[in-house]
Amino acid sequence: MIESHPSGGYILEELVVGMTAEKRVTVTEARIQAFAEASDDFNPVHVDEAFAAKTAYRGRIAHGLLSASFGSAVVGTILPGAGAIYLGQTLNFHRPVRIGDEVLARVTVVAIDETAARVVLRCDVFCGEHLVMDGEATVRVPRRRRPAKSA
């Protein structure tokens, strides 16, 4: 398990397959409301208990992309960290997340393309022992700067 890099982000040459970072987050009413505001997604299954109680979920659930955003937080702040740019993401949702749940977002380096300065990351989100979301992200990672050519 790695921690944030002292500079804020790992460069391509510092990454190795198997590096893993995690972040724990508690899903709160405030987080769901803030996400609804930011995304303009006010689906009542997320924000209206009376409506959600009548659904197959029997109560409110968090936005799936809120769970995915916790993985994004790991990518942007820990592994690879500052300077990483998302190029693509696949997502698979397996179970709902509810207010009060603590989730664990785990990101693991699974492939490195040194030529293109791209890294493939496995992104998993767990609630307890249950996998609630998984997928892969492809990100561009900064390289070590080359020395300037002398004239």
Side-chain angles (χ1 to χ4, degrees):
M1 198 64 52
I2 65 153
E3 300 294 324
S4 296
H5 193 279
S7 72
Y10 290 87
I11 59 172
L12 185 69
E13 292 80 2
E14 295 170 324
L15 297 173
V16 295
V17 171
M19 289 175 82
T20 301
E22 297 178 343
K23 181 178 188 69
R24 287 188 185 278
V25 180
T26 300
V27 176
T28 63
E29 172 70 29
R31 285 185 188 274
I32 290 174
Q33 288 301 322
F35 191 85
E37 288 287 335
S39 65
D40 207 28
D41 179 355
F42 293 94
N43 181 332
V45 76
H46 306 306
V47 298
D48 182 338
E49 185 60 43
F51 175 90
K54 297 174 188 169
T55 69
Y57 298 108
R58 301 191 193 284
R60 290 173 59 197
I61 60 172
H63 301 75
L65 291 179
L66 176 59
S67 295
S69 74
F70 302 141
S72 176
V74 175
V75 171
T77 64
I78 305 172
L79 181 65
I85 302 296
Y86 261 90
L87 300 174
Q89 173 83 52
T90 63
L91 299 171
N92 305 294
F93 298 97
H94 305 288
R95 291 175 170 261
V97 173
R98 299 179 185 279
I99 295 170
D101 285 348
E102 181 182 78
V103 297
L104 172 73
R106 178 181 298 141
V107 171
T108 304
V109 177
V110 295
I112 301 170
D113 180 342
E114 292 184 22
T115 304
R118 294 179 181 193
V119 177
V120 177
L121 305 165
R122 174 79 185 172
C123 302
D124 298 309
V125 177
F126 297 89
C127 184
E129 72 276 2
H130 298 290
L131 180 67
V132 297
M133 188 222 79
D134 65 356
E136 284 191 345
T138 302
V139 299
R140 175 159 291 170
V141 180
R143 299 175 185 270
R144 183 163 305 180
R145 294 187 192 269
R146 295 185 182 137
K149 292 183 181 179
S150 32

